[in-house]
């Protein structure tokens, strides 16, 4: 695995004034020189030419790590590019994102994964880590050359057929064995496809009333438990993408109690929204897995606070207007997430007292970095550590307006909602990548 750092050269110095690391204590200053935190204290002085960020007493966190982003390049550059998605990520406080493999062509070989990696480095706003496909063409029939992708320039460390489930249990077993040998992670989109044919909404009273075909919880939960058992037997690690049900939480709890090496993520939209949103039939609320019920989102919030669900991942899924502004059943599933993730975690976990800012650092940065074994992300805010940082103004709210987001698409379900906190600056290895709502390169 050769790739551990991105393209932004660690040069020069940045002084972040008046910030509270992890929201604790009085505001202090943080000096960064050549990509590394060199001093933390009050009234820190800096040499001439140092870029100064006024943190205004806000919260300083380690830069966020997103294990689940769709950047749409190659193939659908009309909806997102590595540049536009990187900009959205930097503005959202992210310093690393994992770009899913369901591009066109599919990222099932090292030519594609290395190109995504190189493009991410060229853009230089965030470390873009390509995710490799588990199976050729995401077709679920034949394992992709995971070893070649892991050995390439991108050093692919996570594999997923996301968008589709690796539903063949024997193939999944082989994938887990192969991944264990390579020291890489398999991330599963848990959806038993035979149970979700034609499904567009959570199976329940809302879908019945609205006449929408239901996506049963068992379609997710049966794969979660199957893969937990396969991972147990293979001595493998398994990561569950976008956990969405109360039952999945209970299965994760059981599997973790057994000592199975299972981790899971939850999306901001599954923490904030539920299927009552479907009343309008607006496809902006269509997503896979679907928005569930109130009890599911409450269970997911608790599970994230407790650590049963390890981390937040956006499943940032840009789609063109013509793919979203159509009949519900025909619309593509997915919603934007990178620029709204942090404030939604503030709304759903910090404000209700389920997480403090240390907890936010854990679920947005530290745990995701650990899950994919990044050594330079999700690090403590301490002298000698790499300066991958996000500055958050916890009290300044803003109103979401899709076209104003950096994404080339505008499919946000949070349109007109007030977000309670603002990311004011992002620093990638000592280089300021976003500041006051603008990217810097
Ligand atoms: O809603 C979703 N959109 N879920 C997925 O699994 C895939 C994603 C996409 O690629 O649009
Ligand atoms: Zn998925």
């Amino acid at each position: 695995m050769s790739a551990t750092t991105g393209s932004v050269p660690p040069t020069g110095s940045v002084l972040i004034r008046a910030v509270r690391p992890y929201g604790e204590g009085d505001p202090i200053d943080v000096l960064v020189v050549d990509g590394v935190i060199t001093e933390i204290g009050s009234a820190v002085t800096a040499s001439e030419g140092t870029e100064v960020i006024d943190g205004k007493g806000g919260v300083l966190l380690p830069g966020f790590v997103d294990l689940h982003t769709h950047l749409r390049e190659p193939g659908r550059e009309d909806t997102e590019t590595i540049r536009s998605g990187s900009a959205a990520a930097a503005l959202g406080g992210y310093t690393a994102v994992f770009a899913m493999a369901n591009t066109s062509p599919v990222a099932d070989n090292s030519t594609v994964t290395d190109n995504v990696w190189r493009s991410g480095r060229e853009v230089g706003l965030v470390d873009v880590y390509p995710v490799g496909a588990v199976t050729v063409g995401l077709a679920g029939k034949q394992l992709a050359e995971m070893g070649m992708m892991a050995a390439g320039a991108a050093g692919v460390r996570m594999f997923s057929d996301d968008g589709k489930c690796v539903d063949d249990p024997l193939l999944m077993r082989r994938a887990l064995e192969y991944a264990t040998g390579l020291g890489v992670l398999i991330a599963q989109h848990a959806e038993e496809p035979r149970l979700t044919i034609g499904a567009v909404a959570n199976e329940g009273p809302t879908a019945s009333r609205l006449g929408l075909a239901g996506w049963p919880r068992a379609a997710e939960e049966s794969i979660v438990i199957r893969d937990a058992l396969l991972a147990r037997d293979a001595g493998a690690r398994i990561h569950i993408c976008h956990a969405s049900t109360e039952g999945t939480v209970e299965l994760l709890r059981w599997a973790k109690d057994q000592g199975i090496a299972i981790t899971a993520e939850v999306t901001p939209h599954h923490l904030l929204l539920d299927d009552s949103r479907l009343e309008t039939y607006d496809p902006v609320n269509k997503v896979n897995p679907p928005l569930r019920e109130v009890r599911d989102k409450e269970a997911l919030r608790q599970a994230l606070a407790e650590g049963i669900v390890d981390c937040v991942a956006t499943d940032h899924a840009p789609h063109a207007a013509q793919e979203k502004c159509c009949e519900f059943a025909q619309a593509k599933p997915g919603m934007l997430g990178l620029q709204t993730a942090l404030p939604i975690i503030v709304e759903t976990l910090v404000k209700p007292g389920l997480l403090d800012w240390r907890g936010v650092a854990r679920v947005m940065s530290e745990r995701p970095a650990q899950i994919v074994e990044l050594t330079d992300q999700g690090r403590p805010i301490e002298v000698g550590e790499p300066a991958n940082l996000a500055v958050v103004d916890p009290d300044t709210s803003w109103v979401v307006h899709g076209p104003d987001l950096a994404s080339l698409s505008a499919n946000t379900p949070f349109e007109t909602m007030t977000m309670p906190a603002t990311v004011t600056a992002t620093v990638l290895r000592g280089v300021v990548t976003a500041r006051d709502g603008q990217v810097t390169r």
Side-chain angles (χ1 to χ4, degrees), residues 1 67 98-101 107-110 113 129-135 138 143-152 154-162 164 166 172 175-176 178-180 182-189 237-241 372:
M1 270 188 249
L67 297 184
F98 281 69
M100 280 297 175
D108 62 3
N109 63 80
S110 59
T113 53
Y129 288 94
V131 177
V134 177
T135 70
L138 308 176
L143 288 183
E145 286 282 8
M146 289 161 52
M148 300 271 281
M149 289 185 265
V156 177
R157 54 186 67 217
M158 179 165 133
F159 292 84
S160 181
D161 275 5
D162 180 65
K164 289 188 171 175
V166 180
M172 188 59 176
L176 289 168
Y178 193 23
T180 304
L182 291 169
V184 298
L185 180 71
I186 304 272
Q188 176 70 293
H189 169 116
R237 296 193 298 139
I238 176 78
H239 180 73
I240 302 297
C241 296
V372 281

Side-chain angles (χ1 to χ4, degrees), residues 68-72 100 102-103 161-165 189 191 241-242 269-270 286-290 315-319 324 332-335 411:
H68 195 141
T69 309
H70 296 275
L71 294 182
R72 305 298 190 218
M100 280 297 175
N102 63 341
T103 49
D161 275 5
D162 180 65
K164 289 188 171 175
C165 182
H189 169 116
E191 174 182 356
C241 296
H242 40 54
H269 49 266
H270 287 109
K286 182 173 173 181
V287 67
N288 203 12
D315 198 0
H316 177 84
H319 287 297
K324 286 304 263 184
K332 289 207 172 166
M335 36 185 69
N411 55 304

Side-chain angles (χ1 to χ4, degrees), residues 109-241:
N109 63 80
S110 59
T111 303
V112 177
T113 53
D114 287 354
N115 272 328
V116 170
W117 165 252
R118 286 199 192 94
S119 300
R121 285 172 66 94
E122 272 164 35
V123 172
L125 286 168
V126 61
D127 287 348
V128 175
Y129 288 94
V131 177
V134 177
T135 70
V136 176
L138 308 176
K141 299 291 178 215
Q142 186 191 340
L143 288 183
E145 286 282 8
M146 289 161 52
M148 300 271 281
M149 289 185 265
V156 177
R157 54 186 67 217
M158 179 165 133
F159 292 84
S160 181
D161 275 5
D162 180 65
K164 289 188 171 175
C165 182
V166 180
D167 62 319
D168 178 336
L170 182 59
L171 198 69
M172 188 59 176
R173 181 182 159 110
R174 295 275 177 264
L176 289 168
E177 289 166 353
Y178 193 23
T180 304
L182 291 169
V184 298
L185 180 71
I186 304 272
Q188 176 70 293
H189 169 116
E191 174 182 356
E192 168 50 60
R194 297 274 293 153
L195 291 174
T196 60
I197 295 168
V200 296
N202 174 60
E203 183 180 83
T206 303
S208 304
R209 191 159 31 80
L210 299 176
L212 298 171
W215 201 123
R217 289 180 170 71
E220 175 171 310
E221 294 158 6
S222 59
I223 296 294
V224 170
I225 194 62
R226 183 202 78 175
D227 286 0
L229 298 173
L230 291 175
R232 179 194 66 186
D233 290 357
R237 296 193 298 139
I238 176 78
H239 180 73
I240 302 297
C241 296

Side-chain angles (χ1 to χ4, degrees), residues 91 133 308 341 438:
L91 290 165
I308 297 297
Q438 303 290 325

Side-chain angles (χ1 to χ4, degrees), residues 190-191 201-203 215-225 240-253 264-267 270-271 273 289-304 308-309:
E191 174 182 356
N202 174 60
E203 183 180 83
W215 201 123
R217 289 180 170 71
E220 175 171 310
E221 294 158 6
S222 59
I223 296 294
V224 170
I225 194 62
I240 302 297
C241 296
H242 40 54
S244 75
T245 75
E246 190 183 32
T248 289
V249 168
E250 287 319 306
L251 295 169
L252 290 168
R253 190 188 305 279
E265 65 191 36
V266 62
T267 69
H270 287 109
L271 291 167
L273 308 176
L291 299 178
R292 302 288 184 183
E293 294 177 62
V294 173
R295 65 188 161 97
D296 298 289
K297 75 182 183 188
E298 280 172 0
L300 291 164
R301 290 180 189 188
Q302 288 292 341
L304 186 62
I308 297 297
V309 168

